[in-house]
Amino acid sequence: MAEDSEEDDLEALLRQELERPASSVSEEEAGSPPAKRQFTGQSPRADAQAPSPICPPHPGYMGGLCIRCGGLRPEGEEGAGVALRYIHAGLEVSQREAARLRRGAAEHAAAQRKLTLVLDLDHTLLNSTRFVDLTEGEAAALQREAAAGDAGAPPNLVALPALQTWTRLRPGVRAFLEQAHTICELHVYTMGDRAYARAMAAVLDPEGRLFSGRVISAPDSTQRMVKDLDVVLGSPEHVLILDDTEAVWPRHGGNLLPIARYIYFRACAERFGMPRTSWMERGGDEDPEAGPFPALLRTLRSIHATFFDDLAAGRSADVRPLVAARRRRVLAGVGLLLSRIVPLTSPAPDAHPLWRLATACGASCTLSPGPEVTHVMAPDWTQKAVWGRDRGLQVVTPQWLAESAGLWARADESRFQIPMPGAGAGGVVAPVPPPRSAEEELAVVAAAAGGGQTPDRS
């Protein structure tokens, strides 16, 4: 019983660190995440090397001392646990304790009828660019816009001199976070460094009410250039992920709600090999009503309702099959003929990234014309594209598929028509770049994190 009491004390301490309201912290602590707050737990034992009646096993360590008994970490245990430095500086718990804490956090959230939602920052909720990557004209335009902003409203365009960065919030993101917060416990998880992660969390959540210190950055990940739920307090059955890059979640694709990549700044578009496609270059910004957030909120609410219905009925509750089922509704009923995308000699056409994306969204794919075809997808006017046009079918570029998947709704085909030979592209969105390998995609995403900042691994 004593051990159970100590474990409950640890769980309560971690939740207290995460949920302590901003009004209860000192002026020195204000604006800082829990990792910088003073540890309020048990003091180290004076006889730290003496055997403990309650350990081993040691549930975790803070600064080399056991968080339960105060004893020194035995030699050979370094690096064997899970670091939770974003909760408290120097905190590392054992794999067993981490699993227990995840279960406890999931039960706590479920008792409040909340799921856990892990949010990416860059190209998902916002877009950043470095001062040095702007032209003089771009910098002047941003300064004029920021100066003309409504002083009484939270800014959607922010200059951060300490980071030498401009940040544009995705249109509609503040309303999305407020609505998502009512049914989900929100976490931030970014490939950017700690300073960047904390600065962006403060812009999105200036009162610290939505994230409550749950801000995970690149140094908190257990693997370089990879995100994983091992550092998130919540069980995988209960966790949803919102991210524009599937490749950074190799173990948790089933939890992922992919979102269309948001690129406002020119330099960022160029990093992704998509020149002249940024919103700033096009002289506008994403329409919050036509963007991904409305459909994503409907998806979140649908998954939330079904999950808790299953839980109340005593059935197995798991978000992952619900995500897959909801995603298949995006292009249900679409028969997609792929032309000049998958080589005709390919031994496994269904392994192509665009084929897999289409089927995940509910479409049926083929390489041959037939009566089941409703859409022809091609990069230019191939014979099959002309065949589809002559029969009154929808003929679209691959960007239509990417946009539909990222918006969680069937995109308007008229915006993705193939330009006629010799005609300008006009308002048509540029075609999708050739698919990258997972390694290539990770490299580009890492280079673009934090507006091009190099992640701090300390």
Side-chain angles (χ1 to χ4, degrees), residues 379-400:
D380 49 39
W381 283 105
T382 64
Q383 287 184 337
K384 291 175 182 175
V386 173
W387 172 87
R389 181 198 63 190
D390 291 346
R391 284 157 179 77
L393 304 179
Q394 298 285 357
V395 181
V396 294
T397 66
Q399 182 66 25
W400 172 79

Side-chain angles (χ1 to χ4, degrees), residues 100-274:
R100 192 189 71 82
L101 290 171
R102 292 187 198 107
R103 288 194 302 272
E107 290 167 2
H108 177 85
Q112 298 180 315
R113 286 188 61 84
K114 285 192 172 187
L115 298 174
T116 297
L117 178 60
V118 178
L119 299 156
D120 175 49
L121 287 177
D122 293 298
H123 318 115
T124 295
L125 304 183
L126 50 83
N127 188 208
S128 297
T129 195
R130 299 178 300 175
F131 289 173
V132 297
D133 290 331
L134 294 167
T135 66
E136 289 186 9
E138 289 171 338
L142 293 173
Q143 289 164 359
R144 286 193 299 271
E145 181 181 346
D150 184 353
N156 292 319
L157 175 65
V158 182
L160 299 162
L163 299 177
Q164 293 288 291
T165 297
W166 279 96
T167 294
R168 166 79 71 180
L169 300 191
R170 191 170 201 160
V173 67
R174 293 192 187 276
F176 170 77
L177 293 176
E178 288 290 345
Q179 292 295 314
H181 179 60
T182 64
I183 57 173
C184 297
E185 188 175 75
L186 305 183
H187 297 239
V188 166
Y189 197 155
T190 176
M191 297 282 277
D193 65 23
R194 284 199 183 104
Y196 178 78
R198 293 168 183 170
M200 295 302 103
V203 170
L204 290 164
D205 181 22
E207 298 176 358
R209 178 174 51 85
L210 302 178
F211 304 136
S212 300
R214 296 181 292 268
V215 180
I216 305 169
S217 57
D220 302 310
S221 289
T222 51
Q223 299 180 62
R224 186 174 179 273
M225 294 177 63
V226 168
K227 296 179 181 180
D228 199 282
L229 295 181
D230 58 357
V231 294
V232 175
L233 294 185
S235 62
E237 297 83 4
H238 189 266
V239 178
L240 295 167
I241 300 165
L242 185 61
D243 203 314
D244 67 292
T245 307
E246 292 193 52
V248 299
W249 293 98
R251 294 206 311 137
H252 301 291
N255 301 82
L256 186 65
L257 303 175
I259 185 172
R261 185 165 281 159
Y262 176 63
I263 299 179
Y264 182 80
F265 295 107
R266 172 192 50 79
C268 189
E270 291 174 353
R271 285 192 185 93
F272 281 100
M274 300 168 64

Side-chain angles (χ1 to χ4, degrees), residues 30-91:
S32 297
K36 293 300 184 184
R37 296 175 185 159
Q38 181 180 357
F39 179 60
T40 57
Q42 182 177 350
S43 300
R45 289 175 25 239
D47 56 341
Q49 293 186 350
S52 165
I54 56 175
C55 292
H58 299 282
Y61 299 95
M62 182 87 69
L65 298 176
C66 176
I67 54 181
R68 179 193 291 153
C69 71
L72 290 173
R73 182 203 296 262
E75 293 184 8
E77 284 196 14
E78 290 80 1
V82 177
L84 298 175
R85 291 185 292 263
Y86 70 96
I87 296 177
H88 206 295
L91 176 62

Side-chain angles (χ1 to χ4, degrees), residues 299-434:
T299 297
L300 282 176
R301 288 171 177 147
S302 172
I303 291 171
H304 177 273
T306 305
F307 180 92
F308 283 101
D309 285 347
D310 288 344
L311 208 60
R315 297 187 292 267
S316 175
D318 190 330
V319 300
R320 291 168 291 194
L322 304 181
V323 169
R326 188 65 179 78
R327 198 177 187 191
R328 286 193 295 269
R329 292 169 56 182
V330 173
L331 295 179
V334 170
L336 190 62
L337 171 59
L338 280 67
S339 178
R340 203 172 291 167
I341 293 172
V342 180
L344 291 175
T345 57
S346 172
D350 57 352
H352 190 279
L354 294 182
W355 185 299
R356 292 172 57 198
L357 178 60
T359 54
C361 291
S364 59
C365 294
T366 182
L367 298 180
S368 303
E372 75 282 0
V373 175
T374 63
H375 290 64
V376 180
M377 188 170 74
D380 49 39
W381 283 105
T382 64
Q383 287 184 337
K384 291 175 182 175
V386 173
W387 172 87
R389 181 198 63 190
D390 291 346
R391 284 157 179 77
L393 304 179
Q394 298 285 357
V395 181
V396 294
T397 66
Q399 182 66 25
W400 172 79
L401 172 59
E403 190 86 350
S404 298
L407 293 177
W408 285 75
R410 182 166 150 179
D412 179 3
E413 289 90 349
S414 67
R415 295 179 51 234
F416 302 93
Q417 302 295 307
I418 301 173
M420 296 302 293
V428 178
V429 177
V432 174

